[in-house]
Amino acid sequence: MCSGSCPYGESLDFTPRMLVLMSNFGEVRFTDTIWLCSSCYLCTFRCPSRIKITDEVLPKIREIALEREVPEELSRTLMNIMRYGNPFGLPQRERVGWVKELEFEVPFLEDVKRTDVLFIPGCYGSYHSRCREVTKTIARLFRMMDLDFAVLKGERCIGDHCRLLGEFGLFEELAAKNVKLLNRYEFNKIVTPDAHAFNSLKNEYPKFGLSANVLHHSQFFAENIENFEFDKLDYKVTYHDPCFIGRWNGDFQSSRIILERIGVELVEMKRNRENALCCGGGGGGIWLDSLVRSKVKERLSERRVREAYELGVDVIVTSCILDIPMFEDAIKVLNLDVRVMDISEIMMEALR
Amino acid sequence: MICVIVRAVPDLVEGLEIEERDVRPYRYIANELDEYAVEHAVSLKEKYNERVEVIGIASEDAYDEIDESLYMAIAKGVDKAYKVKIPKTTSYKIADALSDFLKKFDIILTGTLAVDEFYGVLGATIADKLDIPYVGGVRSIEIEGDSVIVKKELGGGAYLVLKVKKPALFGILSLEKPPRYVPISKLRSVMRSAEIEELKVKVEEDVLDVRFLEPPKPEVEFIDGDPEEVAEKLAEIIRGLIS
C-alpha cells in the first residue's frame, strides 16, 4: 500500500515498504533518494498496520544519513537554521521587517506582554518576498476585524522540516527556545499560515511544555467568517489540500467554507481531500530542488499545477504558505496561465 | 602533523555597527575559508591518518564565539583544539606571536583570505616568519612522502599543480566537495566531552611591521535619485573617464 501510494515511488531506490523492512532487520542501505520524501503522509495515512513511516521510520534513517553525506543545499540550509534561526541565512532582526511595509502598526508581544491572538508567520511568511505578501494580507484582515493581535521579534524557525529531515537535535533545540519564549507571555491563541509550523506547534510542541490553542489561519478565518462581507467573485477556482492541514490534521473544510462564502465556483481536482497530491515542499523538499530535479522526471508541484490547469480554473487556492512558491515556480517552468492565491488573498480580493 | 588556523571574523549576515572610529560587529563567526581549511585537514586525516590540530584566533570580544566552530571541527574529526586571544592587530604581529607554537607542524592550513583581511597576507607572513614555503589559492591537497602536491587556482578554470616540500603553509580557497554536516546532537555531545586548550602568547608591540603601502582613499560621492537619474549621472561620469 505504502509503496504504491508514494508519489515519488518510481524514482526511489528503496520504496517505503523496503525501508520499513530494512529498518526491521536493522540493515539499512543508504541512497540519496531518501531525501526525496516530501512528508506527504500518503503512505502513513493508508498503512493498514499504522506504521509511522513519515514521522518515524524515514526521519530515523535520515538521522543516520545526516552523519554520512548530506546534499550541499541541505547542509547549508540546516547550518543557516542552526546559526541564524531561519533557512535563508538572513538576520533575525529582518524577521519582522514586513511590519514596516504595512500602513498601520503591529505591536510586538515582547513589548505589550499580552494579546488575544499571537500571529506566527513562520520563516517563509517572514522572509520570503512572495510569502510576505500573504503575511501582510493576513495582518490586514486581522486589522479589519479589529483584532487584538501581536507578533514576536524573537520567533525562530519552528523546525518541523528539521524533525522530518531527521535533525532531531536541532528540532529539539529550536522547540525548547521557542517554547521558553512563548511561555513568557500571555495570549489566548496562536494563528499561523504555515502548515508545518501549525503541525509542530499543535502536535509536537506540547511535548516541550507548550499548552496553547493553535489555529491555522484558514481555521481562524472560517470561524470568524461572519465578520466579513464579501462581494461575489466571478472566478473558477480549485482548492489544493495541504498535506499538513488535510491529511495529517484532518481539516478539509475550513478553506472550503470560506470559498463557499465568497461565492466562487469551486471545482475539485481528481485527487482531493485525503487523496490530495503533495506540492513537494514538505520534509525539506523545498530546499532540495536540485536533488529532486536530478532524480525525477516531473516535480510534484508541476504535476499538481497541471492537474489544476486541466480543469480550466483561473486560480489555484491553497492555504499552506509553502505551496505558493512551489506552485508559482512550477507554473513558470510549465509556462501555464493560472494564478496561485492563498485563501487569505482571495478573501481580500473579494472584499474590495 | 597538520595545524589549521581558524580566525574569528565579523558575521556579515548579522551586520555591523559603524561608529566614527570603529566598526563593531553584532556577532562573530569563524572565517568561511578557514572552515574550508578544516575540511581539507579532516580529509587528509581520513586519507593519510595524519594528526590534525586546530588553533582558533580571536580578539577579546570574539573569544567565546569562536568555541562553536572549534567544537564543530572536533566533531568533524580534528584531534585537538586550541584557542588564543590576540587583540585586533596586523598580520605581521599575529605571525610573530604564533610562530613558536606553529613550529612543530609540517603542514599548516588556513584560509587564503578572511572577510576582514582581504589582502590575504596572514598565511604568507606566517610562512615567512617560519621560513617555510607558502602557496595560496589552494583547492586540493595530497601528501606524497615528504612532499605535498597541491592544486592552486589561477582563475578562469585554469590551475597549477605544485609539489612542495614539507614543512609548508597553504592558503585554502575552495573545496572539492561540500562541507560535512555536523548534526546538532553530535555537536552538543562534543561540547560536553571535549576541551579547548587555551594558549597564551605574547603579542610584541615593538615588532616592526612590514611597510604597508596603502593608496590614498578616493573621494566618495553618493548619487541620489530614482534609477533613471542615477544611471544618467553614472553614465556621464563614466563617459568622462573614458574620453
Side-chain angles (χ1 to χ4, degrees):
Chain A
M1 187 68 95
C2 50
S3 298
S5 298
C6 180
Y8 275 149
E10 78 280 10
S11 307
L12 296 177
D13 292 334
F14 301 113
T15 57
R17 185 175 161 74
M18 284 289 281
L19 292 173
V20 171
L21 289 174
M22 284 198 286
S23 11
N24 270 354
F25 292 113
E27 259 182 57
V28 178
R29 279 192 278 160
F30 291 91
T31 101
D32 51 3
T33 59
I34 55 159
W35 303 112
L36 285 186
C37 169
S38 61
S39 311
C40 74
Y41 284 102
L42 261 177
C43 57
T44 309
F45 191 80
R46 291 177 182 167
C47 176
S49 306
R50 301 187 174 212
I51 298 171
K52 293 182 171 176
I53 306 170
T54 314
D55 268 336
E56 283 177 13
V57 178
L58 198 76
K60 281 187 179 142
I61 293 171
R62 285 173 161 186
E63 185 184 21
I64 306 167
L66 276 177
E67 288 203 40
R68 295 169 174 228
E69 211 165 306
V70 183
E72 191 183 4
E73 43 194 348
L74 186 59
S75 87
R76 281 202 189 275
T77 309
L78 290 173
M79 280 301 290
N80 282 340
I81 297 178
M82 196 188 291
R83 272 186 184 152
Y84 305 112
N86 69 77
F88 305 99
L90 289 168
Q92 179 68 25
R93 62 180 185 285
E94 263 300 299
R95 181 173 282 275
V96 286
W98 58 272
V99 168
K100 279 178 249 139
E101 295 163 21
L102 288 170
E103 29 328 304
F104 53 92
E105 274 189 28
V106 176
F108 298 117
L109 192 52
E110 280 95 340
D111 303 333
V112 294
K113 313 283 186 216
R114 72 178 60 183
T115 183
D116 180 16
V117 169
L118 169 61
F119 180 35
I120 294 190
C123 294
Y124 273 79
S126 302
Y127 291 104
H128 188 282
S129 59
R130 172 64 177 90
C131 300
R132 260 164 103 137
E133 295 304 315
V134 177
T135 303
K136 285 189 276 179
T137 306
I138 295 169
R140 288 186 182 114
L141 290 171
F142 284 166
R143 169 91 167 171
M144 283 177 192
M145 290 169 65
D146 275 330
L147 189 75
D148 171 21
F149 75 105
V151 292
L152 277 169
K153 279 188 269 194
E155 166 198 335
R156 299 180 82 76
C157 172
I158 300 297
D160 204 42
H161 291 275
C162 304
R163 177 179 70 86
L164 295 162
L165 284 163
E167 222 320 6
F168 298 118
L170 185 54
F171 174 68
E172 284 162 19
E173 214 167 285
L174 292 167
K177 268 187 198 161
N178 280 325
V179 169
K180 197 174 157 201
L181 180 71
L182 290 167
N183 283 347
R184 241 181 260 163
Y185 307 108
E186 268 179 61
F187 48 86
N188 296 327
K189 44 177 125 21
I190 295 176
V191 174
T192 176
D194 186 319
H196 280 269
F198 167 72
N199 180 59
S200 258
L201 288 166
K202 186 167 177 250
N203 303 322
E204 305 292 330
Y205 274 42
K207 295 172 200 159
F208 297 87
L210 179 75
S211 58
N213 179 13
V214 184
L215 288 176
H216 186 244
H217 73 310
S218 61
Q219 299 171 335
F220 179 79
F221 287 131
E223 272 178 21
N224 291 286
I225 199 74
E226 301 305 325
N227 286 301
F228 299 99
E229 287 285 331
F230 298 110
D231 291 335
K232 195 174 172 348
L233 281 183
D234 194 19
Y235 293 164
K236 186 175 170 188
V237 310
T238 188
Y239 176 66
H240 165 78
D241 284 284
C243 312
F244 278 76
I245 302 302
R247 201 153 33 235
W248 207 238
N249 284 294
D251 184 352
F252 303 107
Q253 279 319 307
S254 295
S255 294
R256 288 186 174 85
I257 291 171
I258 300 170
L259 290 174
E260 193 185 324
R261 181 73 184 220
I262 294 171
V264 289
E265 183 194 349
L266 173 65
V267 281
E268 294 289 354
M269 285 182 268
K270 215 179 234 167
R271 288 174 280 193
N272 64 55
R273 294 188 168 82
E274 58 272 15
N275 294 320
L277 184 67
C278 175
C279 77
I286 197 159
W287 307 323
L288 283 160
D289 193 57
S290 312
L291 179 97
V292 171
R293 193 71 200 97
S294 70
K295 299 282 172 193
V296 306
K297 279 201 193 108
E298 196 173 37
R299 298 174 180 96
L300 289 184
S301 50
E302 289 162 16
R303 290 188 218 167
R304 191 58 165 167
V305 292
R306 211 194 280 281
E307 188 176 353
Y309 186 72
E310 279 162 10
L311 297 172
V313 293
D314 308 301
V315 183
I316 305 171
V317 179
T318 174
S319 60
C320 167
I321 211 151
L322 292 189
D323 290 340
I324 296 173
M326 290 304 287
F327 288 160
E328 287 189 348
D329 287 350
I331 287 167
K332 281 177 234 159
V333 170
L334 298 171
N335 196 20
L336 301 178
D337 184 21
V338 58
R339 286 168 77 192
V340 181
M341 285 172 103
D342 182 72
I343 188 78
S344 61
E345 291 179 309
I346 199 158
M347 280 173 73
M348 187 58 100
E349 203 148 302
L351 285 166
R352 277 168 189 157
Chain B
M1 197 155 62
I2 301 170
C3 184
V4 187
I5 305 167
V6 176
R7 287 161 275 187
V9 296
D11 184 347
L12 298 182
V13 168
E14 295 293 352
L16 308 159
E17 195 179 347
I18 298 170
E19 290 168 355
E20 205 171 320
R21 298 210 60 85
D22 205 9
V23 176
R24 244 198 318 198
Y26 288 113
R27 186 172 142 178
Y28 291 87
I29 53 164
N31 182 38
E32 191 177 4
L33 295 189
D34 297 349
E35 288 196 316
Y36 288 3
V38 172
E39 291 287 332
H40 279 286
V42 174
S43 298
L44 290 176
K45 179 184 169 173
E46 285 167 357
K47 231 166 151 183
Y48 306 101
N49 206 18
E50 288 271 344
R51 183 179 165 84
V52 179
E53 298 188 349
V54 53
I55 178 162
I57 328 179
S59 60
E60 177 88 48
D61 37 348
Y63 198 58
D64 294 331
E65 282 168 291
I66 189 84
D67 288 7
E68 192 182 285
S69 165
L70 297 178
Y71 285 123
M72 190 90 84
I74 296 173
K76 284 179 181 175
V78 166
D79 298 291
K80 170 116 188 106
Y82 300 90
K83 67 171 177 173
V84 56
K85 200 183 287 180
I86 294 184
K88 277 179 205 151
T89 179
T90 60
S91 295
Y92 198 81
K93 281 180 183 145
I94 297 175
D96 181 68
L98 289 182
S99 56
D100 257 355
F101 171 79
L102 292 171
K103 252 183 227 158
K104 59 176 187 273
F105 298 97
D106 52 7
I107 298 173
I108 304 169
L109 306 178
T110 189
T112 293
L113 39 86
V115 293
D116 60 351
E117 200 255 323
F118 263 27
Y119 309 108
V121 292
L122 181 67
T125 321
I126 295 174
D128 180 61
K129 192 80 196 164
L130 294 171
D131 205 15
I132 60 173
Y134 170 75
V135 182
V138 170
R139 75 168 203 217
S140 89
I141 312 172
E142 276 167 63
I143 302 176
E144 203 183 88
D146 59 354
S147 301
V148 178
I149 295 167
V150 295
K151 284 183 186 155
K152 176 187 167 70
E153 299 235 13
L154 293 178
Y159 62 89
L160 196 67
V161 183
L162 291 165
K163 192 171 182 177
V164 186
K165 265 238 153 49
K166 291 194 282 195
L169 197 151
F170 302 101
I172 303 298
L173 190 64
S174 54
L175 285 176
E176 290 201 314
K177 57 177 194 182
R180 275 156 254 255
Y181 181 72
V182 179
I184 210 160
S185 49
K186 191 175 176 189
L187 178 67
R188 295 293 176 240
S189 84
V190 165
M191 286 172 104
R192 278 192 296 272
S193 58
E195 240 175 77
I196 297 170
E197 191 179 324
E198 296 189 46
L199 275 186
K200 291 252 179 318
V201 294
K202 196 155 190 274
V203 183
E204 295 283 359
E205 271 316 308
D206 52 354
V207 168
L208 178 72
D209 266 325
V210 203
R211 187 110 65 86
F212 193 58
L213 293 175
E214 204 176 358
K217 291 220 161 60
E219 289 266 323
V220 178
E221 187 193 340
F222 288 94
I223 306 172
D224 293 325
D226 61 46
E228 269 176 37
E229 276 174 60
V230 174
E232 186 84 31
K233 282 181 200 157
L234 202 56
E236 209 166 289
I237 296 169
I238 295 170
R239 243 181 256 129
L241 288 174
I242 53 178
S243 62

